[in-house]
Amino acid sequence: MTDRNALGCAKLYRPGTYYDAVSLMKYNRDLSAHSGLYLAGESFSVDAGWTEPCLRTALDAVINLCDKTSASFNGGFSLAHYPHYRVGK
Ligand SMILES: Cc1cc2nc3c(=O)[nH]c(=O)nc-3n(C[C@H](O)[C@H](O)[C@H](O)COP(=O)(O)OP(=O)(O)OC[C@H]3O[C@@H](n4cnc5c(N)ncnc54)[C@H](O)[C@@H]3O)c2cc1C
């Protein structure tokens, strides 16, 4: 945290904030259709500090955007097949 060149190479959570972070991961599914805003990037993942969770948030944004704009998915996929993030213990 004291290395100015490290920037976002790691992310720390304050105690008790994990489920607040997970609730941001639900934003695209629950609120984006209303707000028109889709969140992607490591800031909206609880596995931050790696490119792989960034990619997952990008896929999440696109899947939800496609669903909300009535796009047709290949292979019979629908959001019924897509996992829900659980908020709460
Ligand atoms: C030192 C270091 C080492 C790392 N090593 C690894 C590793 O080995 N393996 C790994 O998987 N991950 C690693 N990471 C993490 C990985 O690089 C990040 O998780 C990933 O790049 C984040 O991607 P992102 O798209 O969410 O954000 P970013 O890549 O940060 O992209 C955000 C973009 O938004 C732009 N931006 C910001 N504000 C604005 C604005 N107002 N208007 C327009 N554009 C804006 C920025 O310029 C930037 O281009 C490392 C990170 C660091 C810092």
Side-chain angles (χ1 to χ4, degrees):
M1 293 182 71
T2 56
D3 180 354
R4 63 191 295 272
N5 298 311
L7 298 174
C9 89
K11 183 174 171 182
L12 303 174
Y13 298 98
R14 290 189 303 278
T17 60
Y18 180 80
Y19 288 107
D20 290 341
V22 174
S23 71
L24 276 176
M25 294 164 69
K26 288 168 58 64
Y27 186 94
N28 291 342
R29 184 162 188 152
D30 295 346
L31 298 170
S32 291
H34 178 68
S35 71
L37 177 69
Y38 288 81
L39 304 180
E42 77 163 290
S43 299
F44 308 104
S45 166
V46 292
D47 307 313
W50 304 98
T51 52
E52 191 263 341
C54 306
L55 178 64
R56 270 192 269 134
T57 63
L59 294 171
D60 182 78
V62 170
I63 285 172
N64 281 289
L65 180 59
C66 287
D67 184 67
K68 297 302 186 296
T69 53
S70 305
S72 57
F73 292 100
N74 286 332
F77 175 86
S78 79
L79 252 66
H81 304 109
Y82 192 62
H84 276 271
Y85 293 111
R86 285 194 297 175
V87 180
K89 290 149 197 148

